[in-house]
Amino acid sequence: MSRVIFFIGEGLRALRRGAAPSLAAIVTVAITILLLGVLIPILQTTGGKANEVRDQVDVRVFLYDDATQSETDTLETNIQQIPHVESVDYVSKQQALQNLRDRLDDPALVDQLPGHRNPLPASFEIQPDDIDNLGTITSALQPPGQNGDPEPISPAIEEVLDSRDDATAIASVSSTVKIFMLVIAALLITASLLLVGNTIRLSIYARRTEVEVMRLVGATNWFIRWPFMVEGLVCGLIGGMVAIGALLLGKVTIVDPLADSITLLSAQKTTTIAFPALMLILLAAATVVSALGSGFTLRRFLKV
Amino acid sequence: MSRVIFFIGEGLRALRRGAAPSLAAIVTVAITILLLGVLIPILQTTGGKANEVRDQVDVRVFLYDDATQSETDTLETNIQQIPHVESVDYVSKQQALQNLRDRLDDPALVDQLPGHRNPLPASFEIQPDDIDNLGTITSALQPPGQNGDPEPISPAIEEVLDSRDDATAIASVSSTVKIFMLVIAALLITASLLLVGNTIRLSIYARRTEVEVMRLVGATNWFIRWPFMVEGLVCGLIGGMVAIGALLLGKVTIVDPLADSITLLSAQKTTTIAFPALMLILLAAATVVSALGSGFTLRRFLKV
Amino acid sequence: MARSDTSTRRRLRGRAAERRPEHLTERRAKPPIIELRHATKIFPGGHVALERVSLRVDRGEFVFLVGPTGCGKSTLIKMLIRELAPTEGEVLIAGRDIATISNKKIPQLRRRIGTVFQDFKLLDSRNVYDNVAYALQVIGASRSEIRSKVPDALRLVGLGDKINNFPDQLSGGEQQRLSIARAFVNHPPLLLADEPTGNLDPETSIGIMQLLYRINRTGTTVLVVTHDREMVDKMRRRVIGLADGRVVRDQSAGMYSDDENTTEFGLRLRDEMGLEE
Amino acid sequence: MARSDTSTRRRLRGRAAERRPEHLTERRAKPPIIELRHATKIFPGGHVALERVSLRVDRGEFVFLVGPTGCGKSTLIKMLIRELAPTEGEVLIAGRDIATISNKKIPQLRRRIGTVFQDFKLLDSRNVYDNVAYALQVIGASRSEIRSKVPDALRLVGLGDKINNFPDQLSGGEQQRLSIARAFVNHPPLLLADEPTGNLDPETSIGIMQLLYRINRTGTTVLVVTHDREMVDKMRRRVIGLADGRVVRDQSAGMYSDDENTTEFGLRLRDEMGLEE
Ligand SMILES: Nc1ncnc2c1ncn2[C@@H]1O[C@H](COP(=O)(O)OP(=O)(O)OP(=O)(O)O)[C@@H](O)[C@H]1O
Ligand SMILES: Nc1ncnc2c1ncn2[C@@H]1O[C@H](COP(=O)(O)OP(=O)(O)OP(=O)(O)O)[C@@H](O)[C@H]1O
Ligand SMILES: [Mg+2]
Ligand SMILES: [Mg+2]
């Protein structure tokens, strides 16, 4: 117990004196955490967009404008019984127009469809349980008839369309975007680790003679290491908190006011980690990395 | 002259011995340059997208489907004579449909406009010389008639539409995106400077006793400083070259093969700096920053 | 110096009296505390610092190690605490070949050997008090033990009023004495002192030698490297002479009374060296 | 040591002969090379290291500075090269108050003063040769000058065969001699040596003292801090005694023949200190 107090006291010694090595460690941790805190949410949002695209792969069943309500209802029930169908959504003509409007950069274009005629048909949007089962569903909707041509299972069906051709393209684009984002995220995290490790290494190098002396007067490796780890932990904590303070400040003063006007920022998907959770993870990472980094780096100087 | 050779020799001394401080400086420079080299092009592309949006603000004149060719031609001439008009583009019905198709995430939606009826009208797209002159152009196209209501200047005109309402929104969104990107870029560059400066500071701190001894045996500040600056310069150069090597490798093996499938990557706008130029700038920056950083930081240790 | 601190001295002398019989009677029965067997040290680059050195130092002895500069004295000391490993031959401490001690156990060895380094090896970020305290902290001494022992040790070397100075705020001689205080504060059974009086004036040197003598009388084996020929001559203790990495002299200079007490010893030294008390 | 290197010695002696008249006749006309006027140094924390110290050292003198450990000798040396500034009073070098020298000109002052630091202050990342060469590089010496002077200086202190060692590969005494070589290699008009023989055996110490004496005979003023009372007694030069930060003794110990040459001097020292040549 008194050991623990001693190690903590020792760990704080360099910080109390405001020694250059600990300050350098704090600065590096603060900056890398700040960068991660800014860039990770951006990467997440971009990755989220890619996922959205992937979700858009579906089978659409377009209906004649004169399809009756009962035809439509029967069709919906039938569709729900097809294997591999995850969900079916009915999209009315009005809904279709609204969707188109939402997806255009310039919604006015739709409003100006002259005479306000609505040329869009009603449809069913069918989500497959997997992107690969698109074909099965399509064939179930249009089993081959007597002459070998596909025959729709309901007279209400004007046309069945699956995005099978696009599917492969979209799947590959969305996965390349995601891989790309993952690569950048991995790069960022590796870079942060290297930067922090590098600084810790140099900060211990600056005190290598002291470490050597400690060894020579009979300190065990762990006796030397604990205070350094406590110091690393505290530096990580301070650096992380400084960074998170700056991030919160930036969020409140810059991002939040803008969030309304930029969809990119407001589009927080369920796949993205919530901001407070991210901050906690970063803080924990900073603390653990610098503590372990200190302990680990020290090995090199404990050979005497 | 022999001075210069001496300073260069001295500057390379630490590197020749593979001393920890210079290695640390190289690592930090390499990592920050790598990050900048990856993130700056991404920021540039995003900023370019924002500019594109800004360019889309215009006045549209929609024409009746039954407008004659001569009516159309006359109208085009008239429009060109309106003040503040920068350019006029005729968009045929087919062109309009094609545009809509291009702007949708899911082009199939347009193809499925049932019966392949084309509901979109032909139109003129008028670019104002400035986003603020939209109103003037619109009024010139529809001067108030006798009863005070706007009267189109040609019978071919079904409707005149300007994106005045959107204009402010778009202008603000596009400028916020740009500000946001600038903020991130500034943050990145500041962070890089701080990280490199921090490492340099620590690397000189690790050798502060040597600097002190040099002072005590009669070395002038510049006599001490030059070798450190040469060392900084060389570390910057090596670190920069390592990073640029990695970037080129990454570009050739990862980005170029993907560029075809991801429009984000292939959309190199004229506003973005070309890749080789960026690399050169980064290399120069790394070299200059670490050389000057070394010289500057040393000041603190030259007080003896 | 220590002259004013009679209580500590009495305490030390008391201990010596208790231990004396054991260490006198059993001295020959136990293995020598230091033994070198044909120990050779060749530095990378080829310089032969020590060449087939063999010597034994028994428990409780007081030994001087002398020799011209660069003859390998510090190298020998460094081998005893395994800061350096011999290129050939064996180094035994208390009968054990220290090459066979695992890296993890080396701190245990070093804690039982107090070392005054030629270049002091102080902890620059700690003040005088904490430098000495560190030697107790590594052996896990309690806070109260540290609080009582450290000021005593510092008073004995005459640094009682410099407790809060950092090493770079001390004179050369003060740094040297700090290094000495750290070496003996945890009462190690073996004390190695590499030129402990190189930066001290004759009067203070005698005080330090007197202190080492007193520590020796409590049963601690003391090995002192020195260039102070006068001191060596006057102290009449065993002298090992090195030259060019070889033992060239090893004489247990007779005619010294084992029972001379510390005050008598000090008086005689001062007298013979022409210093008035 | 230097004994083998007769050519260098002859060269040095030749110079001495040329300069001698000038420095003997004009000695009193010029301002003293070192002058302290009521110099006081109080360290932050309140310790008074020097208290109203006044003294003059003329050009060409050879002066010993003695005193117990912690009495302020190194502080005085540090004030002479403006490593420390006096709290009160003035420090004049060659008649100029060094407090009035701008920070940019301080290196010029230091280049004209060779200093042997008590803790050596070697450049750890440079080998023996480069450490000495550095003192010539700072004054802008040519490569050929460096190539001829550095090996000479190293031979004079007996480090001719350690040219490629780094400081941490030298024994204590070797480091000390390296520091001495660096101090005199550029023939400064003033040489300050803070305990230059603390880590040396008596024989090597005499060699170094002989070297300092020889340097002094070329016209260089030499100030030596030492604890070696025997050496001080035998050399019969001026002795300034400090105690507790005050000058307590300043005697230009008479009866020494100014014209005793270096060999005679060395022989006499060895003889009087009981060392056979
Ligand atoms: N790391 C090393 N590499 C090469 N040579 C070394 C190394 N360490 C010491 N030496 C050489 O070994 C010899 C013995 O060194 P040591 O330090 O043992 O001498 P010493 O007897 O303590 O001398 P001193 O009285 O000057 O302290 C010296 O000549 C020194 O130059
Ligand atoms: N930076 C400092 N802060 C406070 N006190 C100091 C500082 N430097 C030196 N001292 C004190 O000033 C006194 C004189 O120190 P100085 O180094 O001049 O002694 P010295 O005469 O050279 O002794 P030695 O013979 O032991 O080298 C010492 O008592 C020392 O503790
Ligand atoms: Mg030694
Ligand atoms: Mg001193």
Side-chain angles (χ1 to χ4, degrees), chain B residues 3 5-6 10 13 17 210 212-220 223-224 304, chain D residues 81 83 107 110-111 117 121 123-126 130 134 137-138 140 143 166 182:
Chain B
R3 266 295 154 101
I5 294 174
F6 169 73
E10 287 297 301
R13 174 190 299 274
R17 298 189 88 199
E210 292 229 28
E212 207 181 287
V213 171
M214 290 173 180
R215 279 287 291 167
L216 287 178
V217 297
T220 59
F223 193 84
I224 299 171
V304 184
Chain D
I81 58 169
E83 187 183 341
R110 291 182 182 159
R111 288 177 203 169
F117 297 94
K121 295 213 187 293
L123 297 166
D124 288 330
S125 67
R126 277 156 220 265
D130 288 343
Y134 197 79
Q137 283 156 349
V138 295
R143 283 157 151 270
F166 284 87
R182 184 182 61 187

Side-chain angles (χ1 to χ4, degrees), chain A residues 11-261:
Chain A
L12 298 178
R13 174 191 298 275
L15 286 163
R16 278 203 309 271
R17 299 189 87 201
S22 352
L23 290 185
I26 292 175
V27 169
T28 306
V29 170
I31 294 174
T32 48
I33 293 295
L34 193 64
L35 283 184
L36 288 180
V38 169
L39 297 173
I40 285 182
I42 295 181
L43 290 178
Q44 281 181 327
T45 317
T46 321
K49 291 268 165 208
N51 260 345
E52 251 175 83
V53 172
R54 203 182 162 88
D55 284 347
Q56 282 162 8
V57 172
D58 56 13
V59 179
R60 300 221 182 160
V61 179
F62 293 97
L63 307 181
Y64 286 111
D65 283 1
D66 55 6
T68 65
Q69 182 66 31
S70 72
E71 276 173 347
T72 312
D73 290 348
T74 319
L75 180 55
E76 180 158 13
T77 324
N78 289 344
I79 291 173
Q80 278 162 343
Q81 278 153 8
I82 297 174
H84 303 301
V85 167
E86 196 173 85
S87 67
V88 183
D89 280 320
Y90 178 70
V91 181
S92 68
K93 284 173 70 74
Q94 290 73 34
Q95 187 62 45
L97 191 65
Q98 185 57 42
N99 285 353
L100 179 59
R101 194 181 283 131
D102 291 349
R103 294 172 73 178
L104 286 174
D105 288 337
D106 182 2
L109 204 65
V110 171
D111 294 339
Q112 286 314 311
L113 289 175
H116 305 284
R117 283 168 273 143
N118 180 355
L120 299 174
S123 64
F124 282 112
E125 284 187 17
I126 307 171
Q127 295 289 333
D129 56 0
D130 188 277
I131 203 167
D132 294 328
N133 293 324
L134 278 179
T136 331
I137 296 172
T138 312
S139 338
L141 287 164
Q142 300 172 298
Q146 275 137 344
N147 59 356
D149 285 345
E151 286 263 308
I153 56 169
S154 159
I157 295 179
E158 184 183 358
E159 188 161 12
V160 174
L161 191 82
D162 71 39
S163 32
R164 209 180 323 170
D165 299 340
D166 310 325
T168 30
I170 288 177
S172 96
V173 168
S174 94
S175 67
T176 32
V177 168
K178 280 175 81 180
I179 288 172
F180 193 68
M181 293 303 143
L182 277 181
V183 167
I184 293 181
L187 183 76
L188 269 177
I189 290 170
T190 316
S192 308
L193 287 177
L194 282 176
L195 284 171
V196 171
N198 196 34
T199 307
I200 289 176
R201 190 160 162 254
L202 195 47
S203 101
I204 291 180
Y205 175 85
R207 289 175 285 178
R208 65 197 178 287
T209 34
E210 292 228 29
V211 171
E212 207 180 287
V213 171
M214 291 172 178
R215 280 286 291 168
L216 288 178
V217 299
T220 59
N221 286 352
W222 279 109
F223 194 85
I224 299 171
R225 201 175 258 151
W226 278 122
F228 273 97
M229 290 183 72
V230 170
E231 187 192 322
L233 190 138
V234 175
C235 286
L237 205 62
I238 296 179
M241 288 193 317
V242 167
I244 286 172
L247 283 172
L248 285 177
L249 197 77
K251 186 174 151 64
V252 172
T253 60
I254 304 181
V255 180
D256 286 349
L258 295 187
D260 302 330
S261 45

Side-chain angles (χ1 to χ4, degrees), chain A residues 19-21 23-28 31-32 34-35 38-39 42 46 53 56 58 60 62 65 100 103-121 158-159 161 163 166 170 172-173 176-177 179-181 183-184 187-188 190-192 194-195 198-203 205-208 254-255 258 261-262 264-265 300, chain B residues 19-21 23-28 31-32 34-35 38-39 42 46 53 56 58 60 62 65 100 103-110 112-121 158-159 161 163 166 169-170 172-173 176-177 179-181 183-184 187-188 190-192 194-195 198-203 205-208 254-255 258 261-262 264-265 300:
Chain A
L23 290 185
I26 292 175
V27 169
T28 306
I31 294 174
T32 48
L34 193 64
L35 283 184
V38 169
L39 297 173
I42 295 181
T46 321
V53 172
Q56 282 162 8
D58 56 13
R60 300 221 182 160
F62 293 97
D65 283 1
L100 179 59
R103 294 172 73 178
L104 286 174
D105 288 337
D106 182 2
L109 204 65
V110 171
D111 294 339
Q112 286 314 311
L113 289 175
H116 305 284
R117 283 168 273 143
N118 180 355
L120 299 174
E158 184 183 358
E159 188 161 12
L161 191 82
S163 32
D166 310 325
I170 288 177
S172 96
V173 168
T176 32
V177 168
I179 288 172
F180 193 68
M181 293 303 143
V183 167
I184 293 181
L187 183 76
L188 269 177
T190 316
S192 308
L194 282 176
L195 284 171
N198 196 34
T199 307
I200 289 176
R201 190 160 162 254
L202 195 47
S203 101
Y205 175 85
R207 289 175 285 178
R208 65 197 178 287
I254 304 181
V255 180
L258 295 187
S261 45
I262 307 183
L264 183 79
L265 294 175
R300 302 190 57 248
Chain B
L23 290 186
I26 292 175
V27 169
T28 306
I31 294 174
T32 48
L34 193 64
L35 283 185
V38 168
L39 296 174
I42 294 180
T46 321
V53 172
Q56 283 164 8
D58 55 13
R60 299 220 183 161
F62 291 97
D65 283 1
L100 179 60
R103 293 172 74 179
L104 287 174
D105 289 336
D106 181 4
L109 202 66
V110 172
Q112 285 315 310
L113 289 175
H116 305 287
R117 284 169 271 141
N118 180 354
L120 298 174
E158 185 185 357
E159 189 162 11
L161 191 83
S163 33
D166 310 325
I170 288 178
S172 96
V173 168
T176 34
V177 168
I179 288 173
F180 192 68
M181 293 302 143
V183 167
I184 293 181
L187 183 77
L188 270 177
T190 316
S192 308
L194 283 176
L195 284 171
N198 196 34
T199 308
I200 289 176
R201 187 155 164 258
L202 194 48
S203 102
Y205 175 86
R207 288 175 285 179
R208 66 198 178 287
I254 303 179
V255 181
L258 295 188
S261 45
I262 307 185
L264 184 79
L265 295 174
R300 301 191 56 247

Side-chain angles (χ1 to χ4, degrees), chain C:
Chain C
M1 286 228 32
R3 264 168 287 162
S4 59
D5 183 44
T6 37
S7 74
T8 313
R9 195 191 300 169
R10 217 175 294 132
R11 184 142 32 98
L12 279 166
R13 214 186 306 160
R15 276 185 162 224
E18 277 161 40
R19 288 219 197 158
R20 199 96 193 147
E22 178 241 10
H23 115 89
L24 276 176
T25 52
E26 291 188 73
R27 191 192 279 177
R28 291 290 148 192
K30 292 194 184 174
I33 190 152
I34 297 176
E35 184 171 3
L36 269 69
R37 293 186 188 152
H38 306 302
T40 298
K41 179 71 202 180
I42 303 171
F43 281 108
H47 183 85
V48 182
L50 289 177
E51 204 178 336
R52 296 181 65 77
V53 170
S54 295
L55 59 85
R56 295 165 57 114
V57 175
D58 284 314
R59 268 163 226 271
E61 271 195 281
F62 190 114
V63 182
F64 282 113
L65 186 62
V66 301
T69 168
C71 71
K73 305 180 295 297
S74 300
T75 305
L76 198 153
I77 297 271
K78 286 176 189 166
M79 283 191 342
L80 294 178
I81 58 170
R82 224 182 79 175
E83 185 182 343
L84 291 175
T87 316
E88 259 172 60
E90 285 153 39
V91 178
L92 291 86
I93 299 288
R96 167 130 198 222
D97 182 352
I98 59 171
T100 67
I101 300 178
S102 74
N103 262 340
K104 288 191 80 164
K105 298 279 183 180
I106 283 296
Q108 245 111 329
L109 172 76
R110 291 181 182 159
R111 288 177 204 168
R112 313 200 68 229
I113 305 179
T115 314
V116 182
F117 298 92
Q118 192 171 10
D119 53 354
F120 316 147
K121 295 214 187 291
L122 302 174
L123 297 167
D124 289 330
S125 67
R126 277 157 221 265
N127 64 20
V128 166
Y129 183 94
D130 289 343
N131 260 281
V132 177
Y134 197 77
L136 289 170
Q137 283 157 348
V138 295
I139 62 168
S142 71
R143 283 155 151 271
S144 62
E145 202 180 337
I146 292 173
R147 260 199 299 270
S148 77
K149 282 186 173 172
V150 174
D152 271 8
L154 287 173
R155 256 196 309 274
L156 281 171
V157 297
L159 287 180
D161 56 342
K162 298 275 174 190
I163 275 183
N164 294 314
N165 285 36
F166 283 87
D168 62 357
Q169 299 171 333
L170 293 178
S171 81
E174 285 161 356
Q175 291 180 29
Q176 191 153 45
R177 284 176 283 151
L178 176 53
S179 178
I180 295 168
R182 184 182 61 187
F184 75 78
V185 69
N186 61 356
H187 299 298
L190 175 58
L191 189 65
L192 309 174
D194 199 349
E195 301 222 23
T197 60
N199 286 273
L200 299 178
D201 55 288
E203 174 64 22
T204 312
S205 296
I206 289 177
I208 291 296
M209 281 299 171
Q210 205 171 346
L211 179 66
L212 293 179
Y213 179 74
R214 195 186 307 156
I215 290 169
N216 174 243
R217 280 174 57 92
T218 66
T220 299
T221 312
V222 178
L223 177 66
V224 180
V225 173
T226 189
H227 288 311
D228 195 336
R229 205 172 9 158
E230 217 180 337
M231 188 74 78
V232 172
D233 291 346
K234 300 293 170 350
M235 280 203 36
R236 302 179 200 151
R237 289 295 179 279
R238 178 175 168 199
V239 178
I240 298 174
L242 282 186
D244 259 342
R246 261 175 282 217
V247 177
V248 292
R249 167 186 171 201
D250 188 349
Q251 47 196 126
S252 299
M255 67 163 274
Y256 71 83
S257 70
D258 215 15
D259 275 339
E260 188 178 38
N261 78 25
T262 318
T263 323
E264 289 160 14
F265 169 85
L267 283 173
R268 178 170 62 76
L269 272 194
R270 285 202 172 69
D271 187 41
E272 293 189 355
M273 292 175 77
L275 282 166
E276 62 296 335
E277 168 83 348

Side-chain angles (χ1 to χ4, degrees), chain B residues 36-185:
Chain B
L36 288 179
V38 168
L39 296 174
I40 285 183
I42 294 180
L43 289 178
Q44 281 181 329
T45 319
T46 321
K49 291 267 165 208
N51 260 345
E52 253 173 82
V53 172
R54 201 181 162 91
D55 285 347
Q56 283 164 8
V57 171
D58 55 13
V59 179
R60 299 220 183 161
V61 179
F62 291 97
L63 307 181
Y64 286 111
D65 283 1
D66 54 6
T68 66
Q69 182 67 31
S70 73
E71 277 173 347
T72 313
D73 291 347
T74 320
L75 180 55
E76 178 158 14
T77 325
N78 289 344
I79 292 173
Q80 277 162 344
Q81 279 151 9
I82 296 173
H84 302 301
V85 168
E86 197 173 83
S87 68
V88 184
D89 279 321
Y90 177 70
V91 180
S92 68
K93 285 173 70 72
Q94 291 72 37
Q95 187 63 46
L97 191 67
Q98 184 59 43
N99 286 353
L100 179 60
R101 194 179 284 130
D102 291 348
R103 293 172 74 179
L104 287 174
D105 289 336
D106 181 4
L109 202 66
V110 172
D111 295 338
Q112 285 315 310
L113 289 175
H116 305 287
R117 284 169 271 141
N118 180 354
L120 298 174
S123 63
F124 283 112
E125 284 187 16
I126 306 171
Q127 296 289 333
D129 55 359
D130 188 278
I131 203 167
D132 294 329
N133 292 324
L134 279 178
T136 332
I137 297 172
T138 312
S139 341
L141 288 165
Q142 301 173 297
Q146 275 138 342
N147 60 354
D149 284 346
E151 285 264 310
I153 55 169
S154 158
I157 296 179
E158 185 185 357
E159 189 162 11
V160 174
L161 191 83
D162 70 41
S163 33
R164 211 181 320 170
D165 299 340
D166 310 325
T168 31
I170 288 178
S172 96
V173 168
S174 94
S175 66
T176 34
V177 168
K178 280 176 80 179
I179 288 173
F180 192 68
M181 293 302 143
L182 278 180
V183 167
I184 293 181

Side-chain angles (χ1 to χ4, degrees), chain D residues 2-276:
Chain D
R3 265 169 287 163
S4 59
D5 183 46
T6 36
S7 75
T8 314
R9 195 190 300 167
R10 216 175 294 133
R11 185 144 31 100
L12 281 167
R13 213 187 306 159
R15 278 186 160 220
E18 277 160 39
R19 288 219 198 157
R20 200 93 192 148
E22 178 242 9
H23 117 89
L24 277 177
T25 52
E26 291 188 78
R27 191 192 279 178
R28 289 290 148 190
K30 291 193 184 174
I33 190 152
I34 297 175
E35 185 172 1
L36 268 69
R37 293 185 188 152
H38 306 301
T40 298
K41 179 70 202 179
I42 303 171
F43 281 107
H47 183 85
V48 183
L50 289 176
E51 204 178 336
R52 296 181 66 76
V53 170
S54 294
L55 60 85
R56 295 164 58 115
V57 175
D58 284 313
R59 267 162 226 270
E61 271 195 281
F62 191 114
V63 182
F64 282 115
L65 185 62
V66 300
T69 169
C71 70
K73 305 180 295 296
S74 300
T75 305
L76 197 153
I77 298 271
K78 286 176 188 165
M79 283 193 340
L80 295 178
I81 58 169
R82 224 181 80 174
E83 187 183 341
L84 292 174
T87 317
E88 258 172 61
E90 286 153 38
V91 178
L92 292 86
I93 299 288
R96 168 131 197 220
D97 182 353
I98 59 172
T100 67
I101 299 178
S102 75
N103 261 341
K104 288 191 79 163
K105 297 280 183 180
I106 283 297
Q108 246 112 329
L109 171 76
R110 291 182 182 159
R111 288 177 203 169
R112 312 200 68 231
I113 304 179
T115 313
V116 182
F117 297 94
Q118 192 171 10
D119 53 355
F120 317 148
K121 295 213 187 293
L122 302 174
L123 297 166
D124 288 330
S125 67
R126 277 156 220 265
N127 64 20
V128 166
Y129 183 95
D130 288 343
N131 261 281
V132 177
Y134 197 79
L136 289 170
Q137 283 156 349
V138 295
I139 62 169
S142 71
R143 283 157 151 270
S144 62
E145 202 180 337
I146 292 173
R147 261 198 298 271
S148 76
K149 281 185 173 171
V150 173
D152 272 7
L154 287 173
R155 256 195 308 275
L156 281 171
V157 297
L159 287 180
D161 56 342
K162 297 277 173 188
I163 275 183
N164 293 315
N165 284 36
F166 284 87
D168 62 357
Q169 299 172 332
L170 294 178
S171 81
E174 286 161 354
Q175 291 180 29
Q176 190 154 46
R177 285 176 282 152
L178 175 53
S179 178
I180 295 169
R182 184 182 61 187
F184 75 78
V185 69
N186 61 357
H187 299 297
L190 175 59
L191 189 66
L192 309 174
D194 199 348
E195 301 222 23
T197 59
N199 285 275
L200 299 177
D201 54 290
E203 174 64 22
T204 312
S205 296
I206 290 177
I208 291 297
M209 280 300 171
Q210 204 171 349
L211 179 65
L212 293 178
Y213 179 76
R214 196 186 306 156
I215 291 169
N216 174 243
R217 279 175 59 93
T218 65
T220 299
T221 312
V222 178
L223 177 66
V224 181
V225 173
T226 189
H227 288 311
D228 195 336
R229 206 173 8 158
E230 216 181 338
M231 188 74 79
V232 173
D233 291 347
K234 298 294 169 353
M235 281 204 35
R236 303 179 200 152
R237 290 295 179 280
R238 179 175 167 198
V239 179
I240 298 173
L242 283 186
D244 258 342
R246 261 174 283 214
V247 177
V248 293
R249 166 186 172 202
D250 188 350
Q251 49 194 126
S252 300
M255 66 162 273
Y256 71 82
S257 72
D258 215 14
D259 275 339
E260 187 177 38
N261 78 25
T262 318
T263 323
E264 289 160 13
F265 169 85
L267 282 174
R268 179 170 62 76
L269 274 193
R270 285 204 172 69
D271 188 41
E272 294 190 354
M273 292 175 76
L275 283 167
E276 63 297 332

